[in-house]
Amino acid sequence: MSVLSLILSDVIGNPVDIIASGPTVYSSPSAQGCLQIMTKYNLMSTLPRSVKTVLSSSVSDPSGPKDYSHVYNVVIGSNSLALEEAKRQAEDLGYWTLILSAGVCGEVSRVAKLYSQLIQFVCLSTAGLGEGPLRDQVRGDLLKLAAELEIPGFNLVDSLKALQGLESERSVCLLAGGETTVQLQGNGKGGRNQELALQVALELHRAKATGAGYFLGKCEVLFLSGGTDGQDGPTEAAGAFSSQELVDKAAKEGIDVETFLSNNDSYTFFSKFQNGHHLLLTGLTGTNVMDIQAILIRARDR
């Protein structure tokens, strides 16, 4: 008998033994390890006798079956596949497109800073500042932060080389995916994608007061982050999109971005701001291959 498992991956790196707990994959962790965890959390007394029997018998025969030639595990949907399709679509629209990584992870505020610095680097490059102290400073900050985040599959050096040679008239699309995390400090309503979009807007707003601000102002920038399952946190939105002008525009409506971020209240912010125009509303998609981020950049004088 053959076993064919068609797998949709919502885990960074697509480890088939972890996706949906890998029901058709031999798991390397030992039964002894399972028993130790159960004992640690005082759960042994709650286990059904049948489970205890299986675990105990596995301990006496830890090797398990060795022939898995009849089992075929095929990943038919993943973040990488979604990004490749997004790349084709962007190129069809005329964008110069680069996939950064399908393994973006880390705390939202730090990932937002990384994206902000990448955007600044692109704006400097398209303005013809491929060399110089300002470009070197942004590049150095990027390399340091990327090293700290340790994002799988993210070759920043090669990405910066490709971005540095861009012509000013090219519209740029940067794509990435994965799953970030949010450090909860308030009791607001939101999700990691909406919080990331809002945090990127704040970082770009702050960057306008630095040496790179002038060059940021010469570019149109749009940042989008969305969950492929169509739901970001306990909200009806899949995510949101933002721009470097968002903070100033929100202030004119009497809405303070930092106040909402400090309360992890990104959904409420985007619902209020411009009547929810910046929310990404797709409805539930019935699938999940983690999150996708897209950054669109083009010169304003086009």
Side-chain angles (χ1 to χ4, degrees), residues 156-176:
L156 180 59
V157 173
D158 286 349
S159 297
L160 294 182
K161 285 181 181 178
L163 291 169
Q164 187 173 328
L166 284 176
E167 300 173 354
S168 60
E169 65 271 14
R170 293 302 301 271
S171 296
V172 177
C173 175
L174 304 179
L175 296 169

Side-chain angles (χ1 to χ4, degrees), residues 117-230:
Q117 291 173 351
L118 267 173
I119 291 167
Q120 293 173 57
F121 188 88
V122 173
C123 292
L124 287 167
S125 297
T126 55
L129 292 185
E131 302 292 341
L134 183 56
R135 195 290 317 251
D136 291 342
Q137 178 185 340
V138 174
R139 185 178 186 274
D141 291 342
L142 262 171
L143 291 171
K144 180 182 178 181
L145 184 53
E148 293 172 356
L149 287 170
E150 297 183 325
I151 295 173
F154 185 25
N155 190 328
L156 180 59
V157 173
D158 286 349
S159 297
L160 294 182
K161 285 181 181 178
L163 291 169
Q164 187 173 328
L166 284 176
E167 300 173 354
S168 60
E169 65 271 14
R170 293 302 301 271
S171 296
V172 177
C173 175
L174 304 179
L175 296 169
E179 282 190 351
T180 58
T181 54
V182 175
Q183 183 68 46
L184 292 178
Q185 53 191 1
N187 57 4
K189 186 176 183 180
R192 59 178 178 260
N193 289 286
Q194 293 163 80
E195 181 137 341
L196 179 58
L198 194 55
Q199 192 74 54
V200 166
L202 180 60
E203 289 293 339
L204 291 174
H205 173 75
R206 290 170 173 169
K208 288 193 291 185
T210 68
Y214 171 77
F215 302 97
L216 269 174
K218 294 179 72 67
C219 291
E220 290 183 89
V221 177
L222 183 70
F223 177 86
L224 179 144
S225 186
T228 56
D229 60 356

Side-chain angles (χ1 to χ4, degrees), residues 19-297:
I19 302 166
S21 299
T24 58
V25 181
Y26 176 67
S27 181
S28 55
S30 67
Q32 185 64 47
C34 296
L35 290 171
Q36 289 173 351
I37 293 172
M38 292 292 180
T39 302
K40 177 181 178 180
Y41 293 102
N42 299 316
L43 296 174
M44 290 299 293
S45 61
T46 67
L47 282 183
R49 181 177 299 176
S50 59
V51 174
K52 289 182 181 178
T53 300
V54 170
L55 289 176
S56 299
S57 62
S58 298
V59 170
S60 60
D61 181 21
S63 61
K66 297 185 181 299
D67 184 10
Y68 300 97
S69 59
H70 66 294
V71 180
Y72 302 90
N73 294 300
V74 183
V75 176
I76 61 171
S78 68
N79 195 266
S80 295
L81 291 171
L83 290 174
E84 288 293 343
E85 181 57 32
K87 182 175 186 287
R88 283 191 288 270
Q89 293 289 333
E91 288 174 341
D92 286 346
L93 292 171
Y95 285 91
W96 182 93
T97 307
L98 177 67
I99 295 175
L100 301 171
S101 171
V104 174
C105 55
E107 208 279 321
V108 157
S109 62
R110 294 172 62 76
V111 174
K113 189 177 291 291
L114 179 74
Y115 281 138
S116 171
Q117 291 173 351
L118 267 173
I119 291 167
Q120 293 173 57
F121 188 88
V122 173
C123 292
L124 287 167
S125 297
T126 55
L129 292 185
E131 302 292 341
L134 183 56
R135 195 290 317 251
D136 291 342
Q137 178 185 340
V138 174
R139 185 178 186 274
D141 291 342
L142 262 171
L143 291 171
K144 180 182 178 181
L145 184 53
E148 293 172 356
L149 287 170
E150 297 183 325
I151 295 173
F154 185 25
N155 190 328
L156 180 59
V157 173
D158 286 349
S159 297
L160 294 182
K161 285 181 181 178
L163 291 169
Q164 187 173 328
L166 284 176
E167 300 173 354
S168 60
E169 65 271 14
R170 293 302 301 271
S171 296
V172 177
C173 175
L174 304 179
L175 296 169
E179 282 190 351
T180 58
T181 54
V182 175
Q183 183 68 46
L184 292 178
Q185 53 191 1
N187 57 4
K189 186 176 183 180
R192 59 178 178 260
N193 289 286
Q194 293 163 80
E195 181 137 341
L196 179 58
L198 194 55
Q199 192 74 54
V200 166
L202 180 60
E203 289 293 339
L204 291 174
H205 173 75
R206 290 170 173 169
K208 288 193 291 185
T210 68
Y214 171 77
F215 302 97
L216 269 174
K218 294 179 72 67
C219 291
E220 290 183 89
V221 177
L222 183 70
F223 177 86
L224 179 144
S225 186
T228 56
D229 60 356
Q231 184 174 29
D232 185 36
T235 77
E236 64 175 353
F241 62 91
S242 62
S243 68
Q244 58 182 310
E245 295 85 15
L246 181 144
V247 174
D248 288 333
K249 290 180 178 179
K252 291 179 180 179
E253 295 186 21
I255 306 173
D256 181 64
V257 167
E258 293 189 65
T259 298
F260 283 87
L261 279 172
S262 66
N263 194 36
N264 299 119
D265 206 13
S266 54
Y267 176 74
T268 304
F269 170 86
F270 281 113
S271 296
K272 290 177 177 291
F273 177 57
Q274 295 187 352
N275 296 316
H277 177 69
H278 286 65
L279 285 171
L280 177 64
L281 300 170
T282 63
L284 297 178
T285 63
T287 188
N288 180 18
V289 290
M290 299 186 289
D291 304 332
I292 286 180
Q293 286 93 48
I295 304 171
L296 304 180
I297 306 171

